[in-house]
Amino acid sequence: MLGADARGHTVLNDQCRALGMRGVLGPGLCTDILYTPSRFDLVRDWSDGRGPHFALPPTAITLRPKEGGPDALPFNVVSYRLAYASAQQRQLEAEWLTTWADKGWKAPDGGHRVLPAIIGGDNNSYPEPGTPGDVPVPDLSAIEDRPHRPHRSRRGPDGVCVPDTEPDHTLRTAGLEGIARYWVNRTAKQARRPEPSTPVRPTDPTAGSTASTSHPASCPP
């Protein structure tokens, strides 16, 4: 949200009032997170835990759903934008982003929990293909803006520059799957799963009673 920090955060504050929400504004590029205070409590702001590893420090907070009461498990929310011009810097930042998916929490019963995480932002690179229908990565030679080519690429093992997909690969390796890709894969798995047998109760007019039979549902190929 460029300019949201202008005039003492008045732009952000105006938006929060208009939406009936509260906002936490990050430094640098001014990524931010808005949440509904009637539904969530702010447990922690990670302003002191973003480290020096980011060219544009992300906004990161921990929220707890009010509906679950004081013992409800909190979750982390992160808004980020990876470095614009350096594949190496993006890779470093992606690796540090994964640490918010590995934050421990001491539960009221004394047990240790790993907090769920919702992380969203701009990778300034390309998603790694791997799901049917994924858009292919571009041909670098087709990018007319030549200075932009090194911004979005890295040298491969053979010395040839290839589109940078490493941040996406790193996040997925850590279990941080894109929501759209997750639902596509989940729907595909459900479509391949055989359905349970469905009982059918046809009426037998000659016997004057109802017979029960089992009719197996057809399985998709």
Side-chain angles (χ1 to χ4, degrees):
M1 188 188 295
L2 287 172
D5 60 341
R7 304 192 309 277
H9 296 185
T10 55
V11 174
L12 175 68
N13 294 336
D14 287 345
Q15 291 182 340
C16 288
R17 281 193 296 271
L19 296 171
M21 306 177 79
R22 289 181 184 167
V24 179
L25 187 64
L29 187 68
C30 301
T31 56
D32 67 279
I33 297 171
L34 302 181
Y35 66 95
T36 306
S38 61
R39 300 191 62 185
F40 301 101
D41 286 322
L42 178 61
V43 177
R44 176 169 179 172
D45 182 347
W46 292 88
S47 296
D48 59 346
R50 298 183 179 110
H53 320 289
F54 294 90
L56 303 168
T59 306
I61 60 176
T62 301
L63 297 174
R64 177 189 288 115
K66 286 189 174 182
E67 186 176 355
D71 293 341
L73 184 68
F75 60 97
N76 291 326
V77 184
V78 183
S79 176
Y80 70 91
R81 185 177 185 185
L82 300 186
Y84 169 77
S86 171
Q88 286 72 27
Q89 178 65 25
R90 282 194 296 271
Q91 180 61 26
L92 175 66
E93 294 173 349
E95 291 168 357
W96 278 97
L97 271 178
T98 65
T99 63
W100 274 293
D102 194 30
K103 298 294 186 185
W105 187 265
K106 187 175 181 180
D109 61 4
H112 179 82
R113 305 286 189 273
V114 175
L115 297 184
I118 301 174
I119 302 176
D122 183 355
N123 285 355
N124 268 323
S125 51
Y126 301 102
E128 182 181 54
T131 301
D134 276 353
V135 177
V137 295
D139 180 356
L140 291 177
S141 63
I143 299 177
E144 296 182 0
D145 184 355
R146 294 193 64 179
H148 195 61
R149 296 180 189 178
H151 296 166
R152 294 294 183 273
S153 65
R154 61 173 59 237
R155 287 170 63 89
D158 56 359
V160 177
C161 286
V162 295
D164 182 21
T165 61
E166 285 303 308
D168 182 63
H169 177 78
T170 296
L171 296 175
R172 292 176 65 190
T173 299
L176 297 169
E177 189 72 79
I179 294 176
R181 178 177 280 163
Y182 168 79
W183 280 106
V184 167
N185 290 334
R186 185 174 186 270
T187 302
K189 289 179 181 178
Q190 289 179 335
R192 292 193 298 267
R193 185 180 304 162
E195 296 182 8
S197 298
T198 303
V200 179
R201 302 178 65 85
T203 300
D204 183 352
T206 60
S209 62
T210 301
S212 177
T213 62
S214 178
H215 176 70
S218 61
C219 299

